[in-house]
Amino acid sequence: MPELPEVEVTRQTMADRVVGGRVLDVRMGLPLRWPLGIEPSELVGRTAQDVGRRGKYLLLHLDEGLLLLHLGMSGSLSVRENPPAPGAHDHFDLTTTRGVLRLHDPRRFGAVLWSPSLDADPARKLLAKLGAEPLGDHFTADAFYAALQRRSTPIKQVLMAGEVVVGVGNIYASEVLFKAGIRPTTRANKLSRPRANSLHAAIRSVLHRAVERGGTTFRNFSNALGETGHFQVEAAVYAREGLPCRVCGTPIRQVRMGQRSTFYCPTCQKP
DNA sequence: CTGATCGCCTGAGAGC
DNA sequence: TGCTCTCAGGCGATCA
C-alpha cells in the first residue's frame, strides 16, 4: 500500500492516539520481515513519547528505546480502543492505556523492530543510507542536481532506490516523471539543470499534495483511524497503459524497469 | 565502488 | 469449479 504520503498520514493519525499511552501488553502474530529484537514483555510499562518518520519507517519513541515500524507492500496500522479479535493478518498488537496499535499486513513484508536508540543498531543501520526527505528543508534543487550527477542509472531507478531522495515509490515515480516531462529511462546524470529543477519541483508538489489529501486512493489506503484517503486526482500515467495521455492523447506506454511496472507518455516525456 | 537480480509473502485476477 | 500464471504502492541481501 504505502508510499510516503500514506506513511506520513499514518504517522499523523497514529500520533494523536498513541502518544502518552503506557504499554500494557504486546502480541505477536506470524513472523514479519525481521524479529522484534527484544522480549515483548520487556516493552510493558514503557510509555509512547512521540511518533516520527524517516523515509517510510515510522519511529515510535518510547521512554526508553524506540520501535521502527514499516508497512512493506501491504501493511496498515490502526489504533483503536476496542479492536476486534486479531485476524489472520494482524501480526502485531501493542496494547496501551490509550488503545491498541495494530499492524495488519497480509504479505508480511512489513516490520516492527526495537532499537535502543536512533544511533544504535538496528535503527542506525537501516536509516543510514536514506536520502533526503522530499518535503524537508534539506531537499533543495541544488542538492538534488548534485546528487544526480553521480548516478548513471535511469532516473526512475534512482528515485526508487531512496538514496538520493526517500519516499518516491513505484506509483509516484511514474507520476512525478510525467509531470516533469522526463522519460523514466533517462540517465540521471544526463538531466540538464532545468530538467532536474523541474523534477525536484514535481516531487515536492505531488507528494505534498498527496499528504494534504490524506494519502492516495490509487488502490486502497486507510489511515490509523480507518478512514480512506481523499486523493481524488487520478493518476496521470500509472496503470494507464494504452489509454490516451490526459495531456496529448498519445497512448500511454508500459515498460518494466528493475522488475517494476513503469508508465510514461512517449510524447510528453522526452529522453 | 556500481548496477542488476533475488527473495521474502499472500491475494486478486486472468486465462484455460 | 479449480488449477496455473502473473502481478501487486518495498527494500535489504547478494551477486557480477
Side-chain angles (χ1 to χ4, degrees):
Chain A
M1 285 161 121
E3 294 194 36
L4 184 134
E6 292 81 353
V7 177
E8 175 57 20
V9 168
T10 297
R11 186 194 69 76
Q12 292 169 7
T13 49
M14 169 181 143
D16 284 346
R17 312 188 96 199
V18 82
V19 168
R22 184 166 42 83
V23 177
L24 299 173
D25 189 31
V26 181
R27 185 194 68 86
M28 308 294 299
L30 293 174
L32 295 163
R33 187 160 210 225
W34 297 292
L36 180 60
I38 189 174
E39 271 306 311
S41 60
E42 289 191 49
L43 296 174
V44 173
R46 299 188 192 194
T47 301
Q49 306 282 334
D50 180 42
V51 185
R53 180 184 58 75
R54 184 68 180 93
K56 294 172 191 166
Y57 285 95
L58 288 165
L59 312 171
L60 175 59
H61 294 275
L62 305 173
D63 45 9
E64 186 193 339
L66 70 148
L67 289 172
L68 288 89
L69 300 107
H70 198 291
L71 303 181
M73 290 276 260
S74 58
S76 60
L77 283 164
S78 62
V79 184
R80 281 172 292 191
E81 286 184 20
N82 291 299
H89 302 307
D90 296 327
H91 301 300
F92 177 78
D93 276 1
L94 188 78
T95 303
T96 79
T97 52
R98 293 202 59 198
V100 179
L101 173 68
R102 171 173 289 176
L103 175 67
H104 176 87
D105 186 5
R107 288 178 73 181
R108 291 192 279 131
F109 288 178
V112 181
L113 65 172
W114 182 81
S115 189
S117 76
L118 283 176
D119 297 324
D121 288 337
R124 189 197 55 80
K125 191 170 192 296
L126 289 172
L127 305 180
K129 290 178 303 181
L130 298 184
E133 284 294 330
L135 302 178
D137 294 338
H138 297 296
F139 183 55
T140 62
D142 280 348
F144 184 55
Y145 179 69
L148 295 186
Q149 297 320 295
R150 291 181 237 116
R151 328 251 158 176
S152 57
T153 317
I155 183 61
K156 196 230 179 188
Q157 284 164 259
V158 170
L159 295 178
M160 298 276 295
E163 291 172 8
V164 172
V165 59
V166 296
V168 182
N170 200 41
I171 292 179
Y172 289 115
S174 283
E175 294 297 303
V176 299
L177 287 166
F178 173 79
K179 186 160 189 183
I182 297 166
R183 210 61 84 79
T185 46
T186 307
R187 310 222 163 238
N189 58 3
K190 300 292 185 190
L191 286 175
S192 66
R193 179 62 202 248
R195 301 185 84 204
N197 285 355
S198 166
L199 180 55
H200 172 263
I203 291 167
R204 286 181 73 97
S205 67
V206 169
L207 293 184
H208 180 76
R209 188 167 175 75
V211 171
E212 257 186 354
R213 299 296 196 90
T216 78
T217 52
F218 287 132
R219 291 233 200 305
N220 301 314
F221 169 71
S222 60
N223 64 24
L225 307 179
E227 299 162 340
T228 56
H230 296 89
F231 191 45
Q232 300 296 346
V233 178
E234 296 191 348
V237 290
Y238 185 82
R240 300 196 67 241
E241 193 211 356
L243 296 173
C245 171
R246 299 189 195 280
V247 172
C248 74
T250 306
I252 299 300
R253 285 191 193 159
Q254 174 175 11
V255 293
R256 276 187 95 72
M257 297 180 68
Q259 27 264 69
R260 306 303 296 275
S261 290
T262 306
F263 303 86
Y264 67 96
C265 169
T267 302
C268 294
Q269 294 173 256
K270 312 294 187 197

